[in-house]
Amino acid sequence: ATGTGSGKTECYLLPILDEAVGPARDRSTMRDQTFLLDCRPDLQGYVNPEALTAIVGNLASNASAYTAEGGHVKVRAVQDPRGAVLIE
C-alpha cells in the first residue's frame, strides 16, 4: 500500500469491500435475499479504507433494509475506461 498524504492509500479493494458488506450480507441471509459482491481480486484504488468501509457498509445495509424479502442486493466495483474505480 502506498500513501498519498491525504488519508488515501493504494489498496486492493476486495478485502475492504468484503469487510464493509459483511453485516448487510448477514442481514440479507436472514431476509432470504440474494447478496452478491462483484469485484475483481486484483482491482486497486486510492482510497481512505476506513471511510470506504463506512460508506459502502451503510449503502449495503440500506440496500438490504429496503429490498423486499427474497430480493437481490448487489455491490459492484469496476474500473471505467479512464481508470476511475466505480462502486455501485
Side-chain angles (χ1 to χ4, degrees), residues 14-36:
L14 182 57
I16 296 168
L17 296 176
D18 192 49
E19 178 182 338
V21 302
R25 184 185 293 130
D26 294 344
R27 174 185 293 168
S28 70
T29 299
M30 294 185 297
R31 300 191 72 220
D32 196 31
Q33 296 168 334
T34 302
F35 192 100
L36 175 65

Side-chain angles (χ1 to χ4, degrees), residues 1-14:
T2 305
T4 65
S6 64
K8 295 181 180 178
T9 304
E10 184 177 23
C11 306
Y12 287 101
L13 297 180
L14 182 57

Side-chain angles (χ1 to χ4, degrees):
T2 305
T4 65
S6 64
K8 295 181 180 178
T9 304
E10 184 177 23
C11 306
Y12 287 101
L13 297 180
L14 182 57
I16 296 168
L17 296 176
D18 192 49
E19 178 182 338
V21 302
R25 184 185 293 130
D26 294 344
R27 174 185 293 168
S28 70
T29 299
M30 294 185 297
R31 300 191 72 220
D32 196 31
Q33 296 168 334
T34 302
F35 192 100
L36 175 65
L37 173 58
D38 181 10
C39 178
R40 288 190 345 247
D42 63 339
L43 184 61
Q44 296 183 53
Y46 283 97
V47 300
N48 177 319
E50 293 79 20
L52 183 61
T53 298
I55 293 164
V56 172
N58 185 322
L59 292 172
S61 180
N62 286 342
S64 177
Y66 292 102
T67 297
E69 288 192 24
H72 305 282
V73 177
K74 180 177 182 179
V75 176
R76 179 175 175 239
V78 295
Q79 194 166 30
D80 76 6
R82 299 168 307 169
V85 174
L86 308 175
I87 300 174
E88 33 186 41

